[in-house]
Amino acid sequence: MTVFLCSKCGTAITPELAGLAAVPDPSDDEHGRDKETRRATSTVPRGRYAIDPEPWGAPYVAQDDQEDPKPAQSRGTLICREEGFVISAGVPGTVLIHPEDALDLRPLPNWENSTGCCGPMGDEGLNRACPCGAPVATLAADCFGPYELHLDPVRTYAFSR
């Protein structure tokens, strides 16, 4: 079992979690979305974590093929900005957990990096902080994308017993 802690203060961010061998395939069943929030089922079940091998989150760079763009990141949607369709150049190796496995994390002041329709899209950078105030994670919880929390692999660390 593994607990994830804040690199700045050492506070436990998660309870004990069991690792998964790979990131599960998310459900793209519209009928499986929560009726009130429109959120998808979480990519990772409660009590588990997975390491995302793909780049995820900010920063983003223009895609080479603007005529046939790909989603901006794994399990994500197309993102179009001033420079055209973009793709994540974020750090690979984020720790992917169920958002409810880190209930003490708080939005950044003024809801920084939390733009979205029904929740943060997760495409603007870190948007969740440890109780000490250090930004440590990115919540993706909008109504048309995945529902997942990415712990930054530099701002958090794992402790296993």
Side-chain angles (χ1 to χ4, degrees):
M1 299 300 271
T2 302
V3 174
F4 292 90
L5 302 108
C6 173
S7 293
K8 182 175 181 185
C9 72
T11 296
I13 294 170
T14 69
E16 290 185 339
L17 303 175
L20 295 170
V23 176
D25 289 328
S27 169
D28 49 357
D29 177 13
E30 275 298 312
H31 301 292
R33 289 187 176 273
D34 183 272
K35 301 296 182 224
E36 289 182 34
T37 64
R38 299 291 303 138
R39 281 189 199 133
T41 304
S42 180
T43 304
V44 176
R46 297 260 343 238
R48 302 298 194 121
Y49 75 92
I51 306 298
D52 191 345
E54 299 296 322
W56 199 91
Y60 293 87
V61 296
Q63 292 192 32
D64 292 333
D65 187 350
Q66 292 291 312
E67 299 300 317
D68 186 24
K70 295 179 176 28
Q73 54 211 13
S74 58
R75 299 169 316 283
T77 59
L78 291 174
I79 297 175
C80 190
R81 300 213 167 129
E82 286 181 26
E83 63 272 28
F85 290 102
V86 295
I87 194 159
S88 175
V91 79
T94 61
V95 178
L96 187 60
I97 67 171
H98 191 293
E100 293 174 20
D101 279 335
L103 290 176
D104 290 337
L105 295 185
R106 301 287 180 245
L108 296 182
N110 302 316
W111 291 85
E112 182 180 349
N113 299 335
S114 291
T115 303
C117 171
C118 300
M121 287 178 46
D123 66 345
E124 298 176 308
L126 297 168
N127 61 18
R128 292 295 179 267
C130 171
C132 77
V136 295
T138 304
L139 174 64
D142 200 14
C143 57
F144 62 87
Y147 180 48
E148 51 195 39
L149 184 70
H150 290 256
L151 302 179
D152 185 283
V154 173
R155 296 166 188 257
T156 63
Y157 66 97
F159 176 78
S160 299
R161 294 180 196 213

